Amino acid sequence: MDKDLKNKTLEELERLAAELGQKKYIAKYIFAFIHSKNVNDIQQFTPLSKEFRGRLVEEGFYVSQLKAVREDSDPDGTIKYLFQLLRPGSGQVADGNYIESVLLFDGKRRTLCVSTQAGCAMNCFFCATGRLKFRRNLTAAELVDQVSTVQKRKCEISNVVYMGMGEPLNNYDQVIRSLRILNHPEGKNFGLRHLTVSTCGIAPAIERLVDEDIHPRLAISLNAPTDSIRTKLMPINARYPLDVLLKAVRVYQAKTRLRVTFEYVLIKGVNDTVLHARMLIKRLRGIKCNVNLIEYNPHGGCKFAGSGEEAIKRFAKVLEQEGIETTIRLRMGRQIKAACGQLGADWVNGLPAKPF
Ligand code: SF4
């Protein structure tokens, strides 16, 4: 049995309370102490009797906690956190894996970009994380704890985007579990409109998401209007080409009525011409969406160059003229390698060069 109480939904805690001969409402206290009050010590769950707290500890239950080992601030306000992952149930023993999370400020909005895997197997060409080998999936507790740690250290968070290291839909079960935990009113109470899952395009997992009883906002890392360009940038496209991917997106939208975001990294001479923009418009016809244009952020492992302001504005104008809501994403966090596609850019052999 998984003994990490942070990893459990409220319903699972209620079942656990019953198994341990306790009343159901006890679970609410545990859930609220962990997720609303950010308390990690079972002995501090004061509404529970002293005997029951002692029994939980005795039986090996615990509340896991990520270890934040570094915090870098960019002059533009962006903050990047480096977390050390710990061996489950081991207290503070590291398992040799690291992840990064990024806190972005935009007016009143405070968005935390969380990682879902240590490393990534998807190998997108423009992404530094793609050069790191896949190491392991994060637990729901580790996903949620990125939020808790930043809340405790820095500030309240208004939005969570699953867009950091890793492909969220390749860690499907833990991502869904973490969404349930983050969304629950007895815990952090994030509305589903404030939770976004971004995928490189795992079409069957998007279709699976349709049948869930919880529907986050969906973002698709698209980056090309044709299969030939997209497959060069994102090997996953060979498996789930654009027609297949966009069919799954349409099904998700038909069920949820949610507007979909398409992320489009603009790379000089690769996908950034007026013709590419026109082809993109055709592809997206019939989908209620907005397109986020992101200038390619350089990192050492790849020779691409960003498109530059003029080309980005030209591209945006073509989309806007067709009524597609388009946002040009600012170059946030570039100096600390926290911008899109840069996480893990300074790492050597899959690990941070100087973690402390
Ligand atoms: S863009 Fe996302 S899915 Fe692609 S390699 Fe980077 S982290 Fe993985």
Side-chain angles (χ1 to χ4, degrees):
M1 182 204 272
D2 174 17
K3 301 261 176 170
D4 184 357
L5 297 176
K6 191 173 275 181
N7 215 27
K8 296 186 186 300
T9 61
L10 179 57
E11 293 69 28
E12 287 167 340
L13 286 174
E14 284 172 349
R15 281 199 290 278
L16 178 68
E19 277 166 31
L20 297 175
Q22 300 290 314
K23 294 265 190 284
K24 206 171 154 185
Y25 67 81
I26 287 289
K28 261 191 195 167
Y29 288 128
I30 299 176
F31 192 82
F33 263 71
I34 296 174
H35 298 294
S36 178
K37 297 182 193 288
N38 290 331
V39 175
N40 292 315
D41 179 1
I42 290 176
Q43 297 297 359
Q44 287 181 34
F45 297 173
T46 43
L48 274 56
S49 71
K50 207 172 163 196
E51 293 78 55
F52 185 53
R53 280 179 268 155
R55 184 175 166 202
L56 284 173
V57 175
E58 225 169 74
E59 293 196 13
F61 289 99
Y62 64 97
V63 183
S64 66
Q65 201 178 347
L66 285 173
K67 195 170 170 189
V69 290
R70 204 164 103 189
E71 185 178 320
D72 293 308
S73 298
D74 192 283
D76 67 21
T78 304
I79 302 174
K80 183 170 76 170
Y81 297 89
L82 176 68
F83 290 103
Q84 189 174 42
L85 302 187
L86 305 172
R87 212 177 295 149
S90 68
Q92 290 288 296
V93 180
D95 78 348
N97 293 310
Y98 293 83
I99 52 158
E100 292 180 328
S101 318
V102 178
L103 178 61
L104 298 146
F105 296 86
D106 179 13
K108 281 187 182 162
R109 206 190 283 196
R110 286 148 185 208
T111 302
L112 188 69
C113 179
V114 296
S115 292
T116 54
Q117 299 180 311
C120 184
M122 293 290 94
N123 223 3
C124 302
F125 208 59
F126 52 84
C127 171
T129 312
R131 292 179 307 128
L132 310 175
K133 285 201 178 89
F134 170 73
R135 297 174 76 92
R136 77 162 167 89
N137 281 328
L138 267 59
T139 63
E142 288 167 330
L143 271 158
V144 170
D145 211 35
Q146 294 171 61
V147 180
S148 305
T149 307
V150 174
Q151 280 178 328
K152 270 200 283 191
R153 286 170 76 113
K154 190 71 190 172
C155 59
E156 276 309 315
I157 291 165
S158 57
N159 296 64
V160 179
V161 292
Y162 291 63
M163 210 182 271
M165 300 173 117
E167 164 50 52
L169 296 184
N170 281 351
N171 185 12
Y172 188 93
D173 291 341
Q174 296 302 312
V175 163
I176 294 293
R177 176 185 289 267
S178 68
L179 287 167
R180 290 189 199 289
I181 293 172
L182 289 173
N183 173 240
H184 205 288
E186 300 289 341
K188 297 197 187 299
N189 197 17
F190 281 96
L192 287 172
R193 302 289 181 275
H194 298 267
L195 298 170
T196 302
V197 171
S198 174
T199 175
C200 67
I202 317 287
I206 297 172
E207 281 165 9
R208 192 174 161 198
L209 201 53
V210 173
D211 295 326
E212 298 288 346
D213 57 0
I214 187 163
H215 293 121
R217 281 192 178 280
L218 189 63
I220 307 290
S221 182
L222 199 69
N223 309 314
T226 68
D227 282 321
S228 59
I229 301 173
R230 193 164 191 266
T231 302
K232 277 185 198 136
L233 297 175
M234 307 176 78
I236 190 67
N237 194 72
R239 200 149 166 211
Y240 307 117
L242 281 164
D243 280 350
V244 174
L245 169 60
L246 295 176
K247 186 174 165 228
V249 170
R250 285 186 168 91
V251 173
Y252 191 76
Q253 180 154 85
K255 173 77 183 269
T256 64
R257 311 255 163 238
L258 291 170
R259 194 166 56 164
V260 175
T261 297
F262 290 101
E263 313 283 351
Y264 195 104
V265 174
L266 282 154
I267 305 168
K268 192 174 184 178
V270 174
N271 61 357
D272 63 346
T273 65
V274 168
L275 183 61
H276 291 132
R278 294 214 173 103
M279 288 194 284
L280 182 63
I281 291 164
K282 266 195 185 166
R283 284 277 181 198
L284 301 186
R285 205 149 274 158
I287 303 178
K288 193 170 71 165
C289 66
N290 60 299
V291 174
N292 276 346
L293 298 178
I294 307 157
E295 187 177 21
Y296 166 73
N297 290 303
H299 61 83
C302 169
K303 289 199 180 87
F304 286 146
S307 297
E309 210 175 310
E310 210 178 299
I312 296 175
K313 282 187 177 157
R314 192 174 54 222
F315 200 95
K317 198 171 164 196
V318 178
L319 298 185
E320 279 163 353
Q321 278 168 349
E322 283 295 318
I324 296 180
E325 197 178 300
T326 306
T327 311
I328 297 176
R329 278 244 296 268
L330 298 166
R331 301 166 181 174
M332 300 293 277
R334 254 196 193 187
Q335 286 193 33
I336 54 167
K337 299 253 175 9
C340 223
Q342 287 188 316
L343 296 185
D346 286 337
W347 296 20
V348 182
N349 298 328
L351 293 173
K354 284 185 204 151
F356 309 108

